[in-house]
Amino acid sequence: MNAKLLPLGVALALVAHPGHGLAQEGDVGGEGGLAGTVLDALSEQPIADALVVLEGGGRAVLTDADGHFDFGLLESGEISMTIRRYGYEAQGTDFFLPAGKALSLIH
């Protein structure tokens, strides 16, 4: 029996966490926050219990009942993230996490 895998979508909000200094333009290094919501790409409904993995760093979290995840503060730089959930196609994305900057990414 071949089951059809459904596509995943992800809405990311990459933001500086309150209480931490913001980097000035041109600063190298620093921290940024990584949080987001995993959605069904067709229905746009949140997906609970999706595994969100930061490749190469050994960090992973599960989404909550509303599809939200939060890695907290991370070093700024290139990020490779993969999202997996039973019944869905794995979704991978690469992006740059800026230090102390706000960035929205819908994928």
Side-chain angles (χ1 to χ4, degrees):
M1 172 169 72
N2 282 341
K4 183 175 179 182
L5 297 178
L6 300 173
L8 280 174
V10 62
L12 294 178
L14 309 176
V15 297
H17 284 250
H20 296 278
L22 297 181
Q24 298 299 314
E25 192 70 37
D27 279 357
V28 176
E31 296 177 324
L34 175 56
T37 303
V38 177
L39 306 171
D40 182 295
L42 300 176
S43 70
E44 297 185 3
Q45 294 298 307
I47 298 175
D49 298 322
L51 180 64
V52 184
V53 179
L54 299 182
E55 305 298 338
R59 294 189 62 184
V61 296
L62 287 174
T63 57
D64 66 14
D66 296 318
H68 299 293
F69 65 90
D70 189 346
F71 281 99
L73 290 175
L74 299 171
E75 284 296 315
S76 66
E78 294 293 328
I79 301 284
S80 290
M81 185 173 72
T82 303
I83 302 165
R84 295 179 180 88
R85 175 71 163 91
Y86 181 76
Y88 289 86
E89 294 176 5
Q91 176 71 48
T93 188
D94 299 324
F95 54 91
F96 183 81
L97 178 65
K101 305 272 191 239
L103 172 68
S104 293
L105 173 67
I106 306 296
H107 187 58

